[in-house]
Amino acid sequence: MRATVRLVWALDARHLTAHRARLALGVFGVAAGVALAVAVSSLGSSIDASLQGIASAAASRANLEVRGTSAVGIGASTLPAVEKVAGVRAAGATVESYARLRNGERTVRALLMGVSSGIFDLAPEAVTRQDFEVVDEFGLFLPQGLADDLGLSAGDAFEVSTPTGWQRQRVGAIVRGDGAGGRIAVGALGVVQN
C-alpha cells in the first residue's frame, strides 16, 4: 500500500512541478471563487441591513404595525381600540388598492391610498404644507407628475375605477416637491373607502 501511495505522490509531484502555471492558475481560481462567495454574502447582508434601516427611519416613531392576516384586512372598529391601548401616543390607519384614474381619453393605473389623520402624527415630516395647497379636503391628492399625465389641475373632476364602476372624484390638491413622484393618489380614509 505504501508503495502505491509513494508512486501516486511521485507522479503527482512530478506533474505539478512540470505545470507550475496551471497549478498557480488553479489555486488563484479557487481563491477568487471563495472571495466572490464571501463578497456576495457580505453584500446581501449589507443590503438587508440598509433596507431595515430605511424602513425604521420611514416609520418615524412607530413601534408596531397591526395588519390583518387576510386580504380583507382589519375592521374599521380596530383603530379606536388601538388608540385606547395604554402607551399608544398616536395611531393611524390606511387602505390601499390599485385603481385606474381617468380624465377624458387619458387613463392611468395608480395606487389609491386612504389615510386617517393619525398617519400624519406618526410621520410628521413626510409631507409639509409647503408642498401643496388644499382646494378640496374631500378630494384626492395627486403628485404633480400623475396630475400632468392626466391633464388635471387642483379642483378638476376626474373618474376612479371601483368594483361597482367609475366614480367621479375631484383633485383635492397637487403635491409638488421632492416627495411628489410616483403614481400614488391619496385621500381621506372615509373618502377612499366609499
Side-chain angles (χ1 to χ4, degrees):
M1 179 70 153
R2 287 184 182 174
T4 306
V5 171
R6 285 185 192 157
L7 178 63
V8 169
W9 174 251
L11 291 174
D12 283 345
R14 204 176 303 155
H15 178 72
L16 291 176
T17 56
H19 303 285
R20 290 185 185 133
R22 194 180 295 170
L23 173 64
L25 287 174
V27 169
F28 177 74
V30 170
V34 170
L36 180 63
V38 170
V40 168
S41 174
S42 176
L43 179 63
S45 299
S46 176
I47 289 172
D48 187 42
S50 294
L51 291 175
Q52 287 179 355
I54 289 169
S56 295
S60 182
R61 299 181 308 248
N63 293 325
L64 177 67
E65 182 176 345
V66 180
R67 286 192 173 257
T69 57
S70 68
V72 175
I74 296 172
S77 62
T78 304
L79 182 59
V82 169
E83 291 173 328
K84 291 178 184 176
V85 173
V88 173
R89 291 186 210 139
T94 63
V95 293
E96 301 173 7
S97 178
Y98 281 95
R100 287 177 296 153
L101 310 181
R102 177 171 74 181
N103 182 29
E105 297 297 318
R106 299 179 183 188
T107 302
V108 174
R109 185 173 186 262
L111 177 63
L112 183 60
M113 289 184 65
V115 297
S116 70
S117 59
I119 291 296
F120 301 110
D121 295 335
L122 293 171
E125 297 174 12
V127 179
T128 64
R129 283 294 220 184
Q130 299 167 358
D131 294 334
F132 60 92
E133 180 182 336
V134 178
V135 174
D136 181 359
E137 61 187 24
F138 296 108
L140 294 179
F141 292 25
L142 305 180
Q144 185 69 59
L146 181 57
D148 291 345
D149 289 346
L150 289 167
L152 295 170
S153 298
D156 288 349
F158 65 103
E159 294 178 304
V160 177
S161 64
T162 68
T164 58
W166 290 96
Q167 184 179 50
R168 267 183 92 69
Q169 190 54 258
R170 286 176 48 101
V171 178
I174 304 291
V175 182
R176 299 172 298 279
D178 295 337
R183 295 186 179 275
I184 302 174
V186 179
L189 188 63
V191 171
V192 172
Q193 284 179 325
N194 291 334

